[in-house]
Amino acid sequence: MSMLDPRTLTVIVTGATSGIGAATVRRFAGAGARVVAVGRRADRLEGLKAEFGDLVHTLELDVRDEAATFTAFSSLPAPFDAYNVVFANAGLARGLEPAYEASLDDWKTMVDTNVNGVLYTVRATLPAMVARREGHVVFTGSVAGTYAYPGGNVYGASKAFVKLFAMNVYADVAGKGVRVTNIEPGLTETEFSSVRFAGDAGRAEKVYADMAPMTGEDIAEQVFFACTLPRHVNINSIESMAAQQTFAPLAVKRDPA
């Protein structure tokens, strides 16, 4: 089986300024692919550009902004306008409170980013790949989109949306030269927990205490694998967990004696 030459790929990566996104930019650009690095932090984007030079085009963009997202992706300069991979990776979690105590603002922020930002990214980029009959849409889902846990509420629901959206997009593009993959990681140490706990480093560190979580590089390797398989192969999803993580036991809440 002959893998695709990554030098034939032009990859858009949203959420490129940290974690899985930054690792994915480095994995593809390091293999010779062209990459459009998309994010909100200009200094970090410029750092990626400095690492890889002309292989990386930076795009300072908040994908929650519908108009800006459509404008940005429709006006990419050559050769980056001929993208054939779109990694809709931008996403976040906010809070871990139960639904009856959770912040409505946190819920809105997660929906705006994890749902609307993904919708705008895909709708703005998919038509061109269908027209060229060559493309691949990759999503960052989560095991939280399959397995519920206390405090996951809207975050888990947003990732369940991503999972079903990915499947439905694939149903629409099958046979049109476009592949679709949902990457569904478990515990991965990035800035994820720091963002979830509003910068509380101590609380974030406890999430990964006494275990070896996955890293952004681990997930980037999964994205790279799916995208460099021959074009007749579609990886529908990749679900992965740290080796010390497993499925939650079914909880039984007993009345006090």
Side-chain angles (χ1 to χ4, degrees):
M1 182 171 64
S2 179
M3 304 293 278
L4 288 182
D5 185 343
R7 292 172 297 180
T8 66
L9 300 178
T10 298
V11 185
I12 293 175
V13 179
T14 69
T17 57
S18 67
I20 293 169
T24 302
V25 171
R26 292 187 171 100
R27 181 65 179 95
F28 278 93
R34 295 188 184 94
V35 182
V36 179
V38 182
R40 293 182 294 164
R41 290 174 281 192
D43 57 332
R44 295 194 180 188
L45 292 174
E46 288 309 311
L48 291 168
K49 173 74 173 175
E51 283 186 57
F52 297 104
D54 290 342
L55 284 176
V56 171
H57 174 73
T58 62
L59 196 57
E60 188 178 351
L61 173 67
D62 185 341
V63 294
R64 296 175 297 182
D65 185 328
E66 176 184 352
T69 299
F70 275 78
T71 298
F73 290 138
S74 66
S75 56
L76 288 169
F80 296 96
D81 57 342
Y83 52 84
N84 50 13
V85 176
V86 175
F87 183 26
N89 167 70
L92 49 75
R94 286 284 177 87
L96 199 60
E97 293 76 23
Y100 52 86
E101 294 177 350
S103 160
L104 189 58
D105 285 340
D106 285 348
W107 281 7
K108 290 178 179 177
T109 297
M110 286 186 280
V111 170
D112 282 346
T113 307
N114 301 356
V115 176
N116 292 337
V118 167
L119 292 179
Y120 303 152
T121 298
V122 172
R123 188 62 183 82
T125 57
L126 185 57
M129 291 190 291
V130 170
R132 289 193 292 268
R133 298 190 64 82
E134 181 182 277
H136 197 154
V137 183
V138 184
F139 295 88
T140 297
S142 170
V143 296
T146 302
Y147 311 107
Y149 60 87
N153 44 72
V154 167
Y155 176 72
S158 72
K159 292 304 184 178
F161 170 87
V162 169
K163 181 173 186 169
L164 268 294
F165 183 52
M167 293 173 69
N168 279 277
V169 170
Y170 187 45
D172 288 338
V173 301
K176 298 184 182 298
V178 177
R179 301 186 288 179
V180 180
T181 302
N182 191 35
I183 305 293
E184 304 171 18
L187 277 173
T188 306
E189 188 169 12
T190 60
E191 294 180 8
F192 176 87
S193 288
S194 179
V195 172
R196 164 167 264 175
F197 299 128
D200 185 333
R203 195 175 177 193
E205 288 171 4
K206 288 180 181 178
V207 174
Y208 312 108
D210 302 318
M211 58 95 62
M214 294 187 293
T215 65
E217 288 74 19
D218 294 328
I219 310 308
E221 195 62 37
Q222 297 172 30
V223 178
F224 187 83
F225 166 74
C227 292
T228 52
L229 284 171
R231 293 198 182 281
H232 69 279
V233 180
N234 189 83
I235 299 295
N236 298 337
S237 62
I238 299 177
E239 181 187 287
S240 60
M241 291 183 175
Q244 288 172 277
Q245 183 183 25
T246 187
F247 316 102
L250 295 176
V252 177
K253 304 297 186 181
R254 304 184 188 279
D255 291 332

